[in-house]
Amino acid sequence: MPTTTAAYLTGLAATNDDAGDQPAIKRLHRSDTETVVRIAFREGQVMREHMAAHPILVLGQTGAIDFTVDGSTYRLEPGSAIRVGARVKHALHAISAGTVTLVVIHGT
């Protein structure tokens, strides 16, 4: 059971100011039921195909990030999201600089 009844999260739309070639990944929150992660991309950055052990929800915060799953590509922009089941391969590609919020649903 979670120890608090609320968690206020900020910084969901922060940009990638890192000098590296990879998207900037920062865990913002973890509880018994979910983990919330900010993934910030510079234009052209990629997260190669991978999978998560648990179901995920990915929400577009800023910019345009292409999300490919099951042979289809969806554009994540502000106001859009995609849910993917556990152990389903997916990849991300930043069409422009942008940020997504990843929610890993790992318990009930």
Side-chain angles (χ1 to χ4, degrees):
M1 176 182 285
T3 58
T4 62
T5 58
Y8 180 68
L9 307 176
T10 62
L12 297 175
T15 59
N16 183 350
D17 296 326
D18 291 348
D21 294 334
Q22 300 298 314
I25 301 171
K26 181 174 182 176
R27 183 172 70 189
L28 302 174
H29 170 77
R30 178 162 169 73
S31 75
D32 295 339
T33 58
E34 79 283 334
T35 300
V36 179
V37 177
R38 178 185 64 231
I39 307 172
F41 294 82
R42 288 194 314 274
E43 183 176 336
Q45 286 185 321
V46 171
M47 285 188 80
R48 294 178 190 228
E49 189 173 68
H50 62 284
M51 66 177 85
H54 302 282
I56 62 171
L57 177 66
V58 184
L59 300 96
Q61 296 292 340
T62 66
I65 311 298
D66 278 356
F67 189 102
T68 302
V69 59
D70 288 336
S72 296
T73 299
Y74 305 90
R75 175 98 10 118
L76 293 178
E77 297 175 307
S80 63
I82 189 164
R83 185 205 179 276
V84 179
R87 295 177 179 80
V88 174
K89 291 181 180 180
H90 57 278
L92 295 88
H93 175 244
I95 301 306
S96 66
T99 304
V100 298
T101 298
L102 164 66
V103 181
V104 181
I105 306 160
H106 50 75
T108 56

